[in-house]
């Protein structure tokens, strides 16, 4: 979705579907840095010159702390502090158990065994009934319904076991269970009893440490809350010193930030390929593999502030494929002459290009959304790398995202640069039958390998082998999320599960400590 004006921080159902399943049109512009006279980290003054206490303050949506009732992304973020989860995904994309002692997927059944001794902030034990009710509330909510579409039911079995029934097998379903757990009787409450690291302060303007937190963590005793209504207010409150830290939204400028930090996500930058093209570089698996092999993903990722090479269909940090993917992060051009010869191209020394029997250069055309500076830049980098390998590339810029999307849907492209926010279980169905399917050459062999991987994650390396051979689309980079902090705040560790994953290293300099 292309945001051109400040908008309320809401994630409605249509927007959620677009964010997860539709090709992203634009990216967040670069954050502007302060002038040199503002860069003293020991300063305790905000933009108005007033002295500020050394406190950690975050933005919230006024009126609700229940992420299953509110579609505001700020409510989802603060829920990471207030409510414990069954599991979380670490900054290194590893699944870490929290309230769940184990999560086991087998066929259409997911069994969750709960950890003993965990309680809510009032001392009430966290039970399987609370977990089942929370998961069903999440499925019914606007914010989380998309990720849980494959969950048909959740039932408590005794006090410490929850059994989920799936529509289709999903061996990585545990990666979707980083969900806040509420009391069964409070899933419709605006202010549920906390179960996480923090609980409500005596004032509505603070959170304080939860002495009964199942997983206590080092961090501030008090977190201060500032209500905001839209992204422009979020940015301005950082400038005024009323908040310390926030998650940067795509396509929204952060004009006053002094520090950006990045965390890994499952947002994939990729090349969609029109397999029905008459260009052999696009229409054949050998051609697509040749285009991929000529690229250095390491060099490409180094040109972006937060990106890592995509060496397969699955995020390379996931344990099921770690060290087992076959697409190289570096360009592999040693076998390119033989591969190009098989496609009907020979090397022309005079022009340093591959040419076909008619003397025409090997070439491809890249479609890109012209209003996205990042995508245009990426297209130019690809153009340069392919030119060095002897393949010409032209870049076609659509005027805006609407025109770009229409051209993709009409298959008016050879290659296009797209971005997909995958769910954390790496559901690739958008490429097979969803919003990214246009033009892709997807075989039954590949779908069968994918189905086997979904049923059993140990089959992931075999799926990656088939994927690399057929290359229906070309993975390029995994893009990172961006958090922004003021010049006095550092040390917040974020993950794709929780932007407040760890506050143990938090440092806030300047001013004096504030008490609640």
């Amino acid at each position: 979705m292309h945001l051109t004006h400040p908008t309320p921080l809401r994630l409605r159902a249509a927007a959620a579907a677009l964010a997860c399943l539709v090709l992203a049109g634009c990216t967040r512009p670069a954050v502007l840095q302060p002038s040199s006279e503002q860069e003293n980290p020991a300063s305790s003054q905000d933009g108005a010159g007033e002295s500020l206490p050394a406190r950690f303050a975050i933005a919230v949506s006024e009126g609700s702390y229940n992420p299953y009732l509110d579609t505001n992304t700020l409510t989802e973020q603060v829920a990471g502090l207030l409510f414990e989860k069954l599991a979380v995904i670490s900054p290194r994309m590893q699944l870490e158990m929290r309230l769940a002692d184990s999560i086991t997927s087998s066929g259409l059944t997911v069994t969750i065994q709960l950890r003993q001794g965990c309680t809510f902030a009032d001392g009430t034990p966290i039970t399987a009934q609370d977990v089942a009710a929370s998961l069903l509330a999440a499925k019914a909510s606007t914010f989380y319904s998309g990720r849980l579409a494959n969950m048909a039911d959740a039932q408590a079995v005794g006090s410490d076991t929850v059994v989920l029934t799936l529509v289709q097998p999903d061996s990585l379903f545990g990666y979707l269970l980083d969900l806040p757990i509420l009391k069964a009787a409070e899933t419709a409450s605006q202010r549920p009893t906390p179960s996480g690291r923090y609980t409500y302060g005596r004032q509505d303007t603070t959170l304080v440490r939860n002495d009964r937190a199942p997983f206590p963590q080092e961090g501030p005793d008090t977190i201060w809350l500032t209500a905001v209504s839209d992204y422009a207010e979020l940015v301005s409150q950082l400038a005024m010193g009323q908040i310390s830290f926030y998650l940067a939204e795509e396509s929204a400028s952060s004009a006053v930030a002094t520090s950006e930090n990045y965390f890994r996500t499952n947002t994939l930058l990729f090349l969609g390929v029109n397999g029905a093209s008459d260009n052999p570089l696009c229409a054949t698996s050998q051609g697509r593999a040749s285009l991929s092999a000529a690229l250095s993903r390491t060099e490409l990722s180094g040109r972006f502030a937060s990106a890592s090479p995509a060496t397969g269909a699955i995020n390379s940090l996931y344990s099921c494929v770690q060290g087992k993917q076959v697409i190289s992060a570096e360009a592999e051009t040693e076998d390119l002459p033989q591969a190009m010869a098989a496609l009907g191209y020979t090397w022309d020394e005079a022009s340093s290009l591959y040419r076909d029997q008619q003397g025409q250069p090997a070439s491809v055309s890249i479609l890109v959304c012209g209003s996205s500076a990042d995508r245009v830049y990426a297209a130019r980098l690809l153009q340069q790398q392919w030119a060095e390998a002897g393949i010409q590339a032209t870049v076609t810029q659509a005027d805006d995202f609407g025109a770009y999307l229409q051209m993709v849907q009409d298959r008016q492209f050879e290659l296009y640069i797209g971005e997909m926010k995958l769910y954390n279980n790496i559901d690739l169905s958008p490429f097979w039958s969803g919003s990214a399917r246009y033009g892709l050459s997807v075989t039954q062999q590949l779908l069968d390998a994918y189905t086997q991987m979904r049923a059993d994650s140990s089959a992931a390396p075999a799926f990656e082998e088939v994927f690399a051979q057929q290359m229906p689309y070309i993975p390029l980079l995994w893009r990172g999320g961006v958090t922004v902090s003021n010049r006095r705040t550092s040390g917040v560790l974020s993950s794709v599960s929780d932007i407040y994953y760890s506050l143990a290293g938090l440092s806030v300099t300047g001013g004096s400590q504030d008490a609640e």
Side-chain angles (χ1 to χ4, degrees):
M1 182 165 57
H2 183 191
L3 304 180
T4 55
H5 303 285
T7 56
L9 290 168
R10 298 275 169 181
L11 189 58
R12 301 179 177 86
L18 186 69
C20 293
L21 301 179
V22 176
L23 313 175
C26 302
T27 59
R28 186 187 53 79
V31 174
L32 301 178
Q33 298 298 318
S35 59
S36 57
E37 60 268 22
Q38 294 177 312
E39 289 181 344
N40 179 7
S43 171
S44 60
Q45 296 183 336
D46 64 11
E50 299 173 352
S51 179
L52 292 174
R55 66 187 190 186
F56 183 62
I58 63 173
V60 295
S61 173
E62 192 168 17
S64 176
Y65 291 99
N66 189 333
Y68 301 142
L69 299 182
D70 198 339
T71 57
N72 193 301
T73 56
L74 294 177
T75 302
E76 184 266 342
Q77 291 166 19
V78 76
L81 295 167
L82 287 170
F83 307 109
E84 196 51 79
K85 302 176 179 181
L86 290 170
V88 296
I89 303 172
S90 76
R92 294 291 298 171
M93 306 299 278
Q94 300 301 301
L95 190 64
E96 298 177 343
M97 297 296 109
R98 286 290 203 270
L99 294 178
D101 191 53
S102 66
I103 300 173
T104 305
S105 296
S106 177
L108 298 179
T109 301
V110 176
T111 303
I112 304 168
Q113 197 69 35
L114 298 183
R115 196 180 300 273
Q116 298 295 309
C118 299
T119 69
F120 290 96
D122 62 0
T124 306
I126 298 173
T127 67
Q129 288 73 23
D130 298 316
V131 172
S134 296
L135 295 182
L136 291 173
K139 180 177 174 61
S141 72
T142 298
F143 200 96
Y144 296 100
S145 59
R147 75 155 81 177
L148 294 180
N150 190 37
M151 187 184 80
D153 196 16
Q155 293 292 329
V157 179
S159 62
D160 59 2
T161 304
V162 180
V163 176
L164 311 183
T165 302
L166 305 184
V167 178
Q168 296 178 336
D170 183 358
S171 59
L172 298 178
F173 194 82
Y175 282 83
L176 300 179
L177 294 178
D178 52 341
L179 296 166
I181 300 303
L182 317 182
K183 285 187 176 182
E186 296 181 355
T187 57
S189 170
Q190 294 286 347
R191 194 180 172 96
T193 303
S195 57
R197 293 166 283 171
Y198 287 83
T199 186
Y200 311 113
R202 291 190 300 272
Q203 308 171 42
D204 288 339
T205 56
T206 60
L207 301 179
V208 296
R209 281 182 176 276
N210 175 12
D211 293 335
R212 293 191 173 98
F215 300 94
Q217 187 185 89
E218 293 296 322
D221 292 331
T222 302
I223 297 175
W224 293 80
L225 309 177
T226 299
V228 302
S229 60
D230 58 35
Y231 197 85
E233 186 177 6
L234 186 68
V235 173
S236 67
Q237 291 293 343
L238 182 85
M240 297 302 294
Q242 298 305 308
I243 63 172
S244 312
F245 174 91
Y246 65 82
L247 175 68
E249 298 283 347
E250 289 190 34
S251 305
S253 176
S254 308
V256 294
T258 65
S259 177
E260 285 190 340
N261 287 286
Y262 310 100
F263 59 93
R264 299 293 188 97
T265 75
N266 284 313
T267 299
L268 178 66
L269 187 72
F270 68 96
L271 280 170
V273 188
N274 189 347
S277 166
D278 57 6
N279 186 338
L281 288 171
C282 302
T284 66
S285 58
Q286 298 94 328
R288 297 188 292 269
S290 295
L291 290 175
S292 175
L295 297 176
S296 169
R297 291 165 172 82
T298 299
E299 181 180 339
L300 189 63
S301 66
R303 300 296 187 95
F304 291 88
S306 174
S308 58
T311 55
I314 301 171
N315 194 312
S316 60
L317 291 178
Y318 276 47
S319 57
C320 60
V321 295
Q322 204 164 37
K324 302 173 184 177
Q325 292 175 312
V326 295
I327 298 175
S328 176
E330 308 297 337
E332 293 186 322
T333 57
E334 295 84 0
D335 297 330
L336 193 59
Q338 297 93 315
M340 294 296 285
L343 296 169
Y345 297 102
T346 57
W347 180 254
D348 177 41
E349 194 68 40
S351 61
S352 296
L353 291 171
Y354 286 99
R355 295 185 180 274
D356 63 17
Q357 293 179 353
Q358 287 74 42
Q360 296 300 310
S363 64
V364 289
S365 174
I366 311 169
L367 173 65
V368 64
C369 176
S371 59
S372 169
D374 272 5
R375 305 298 181 276
V376 173
Y377 180 54
R380 298 300 183 193
L381 293 175
L382 296 177
Q383 184 182 43
Q384 178 181 345
Q385 288 196 22
W386 278 326
E388 293 172 355
I391 300 170
Q392 282 188 346
T394 58
V395 177
T396 300
Q397 297 187 37
D399 292 337
D400 54 39
F401 182 63
Y404 160 82
L405 185 59
Q406 190 63 56
M407 292 178 71
V408 171
Q409 293 175 342
D410 291 343
R411 297 168 176 80
Q412 297 179 17
F413 66 89
E414 289 186 341
L415 305 171
Y416 72 84
I417 294 185
E419 188 169 288
M420 182 69 65
K421 293 182 178 179
L422 296 171
Y423 288 123
N424 293 327
N425 64 335
I426 315 295
D427 178 3
L428 299 177
S429 61
F431 292 106
W432 318 144
S433 58
S435 61
R437 70 185 186 278
Y438 301 102
L440 302 190
S441 178
V442 180
T443 68
Q444 190 60 49
Q445 180 190 13
L446 181 63
L447 292 177
D448 289 345
Y450 176 69
T451 298
Q452 292 172 16
M453 183 272 291
R454 293 280 285 175
D456 182 357
S457 62
S458 68
F463 163 70
E464 289 282 13
E465 288 274 0
V466 178
F467 178 86
Q469 291 168 6
Q470 300 190 6
M471 202 78 69
Y473 60 92
I474 302 175
L476 296 174
L477 303 173
W478 295 104
R479 299 293 303 272
V482 184
T483 59
V484 180
S485 60
N486 63 25
R487 63 183 178 270
R488 301 188 299 139
T489 303
S490 62
V492 180
L493 185 61
S494 301
S495 82
V496 70
S497 277
D498 186 355
I499 66 166
Y500 306 112
Y501 172 84
S502 175
L503 301 180
L506 175 67
S507 173
V508 182
T509 60
S512 58
Q513 289 292 333
D514 232 359
E516 184 191 354

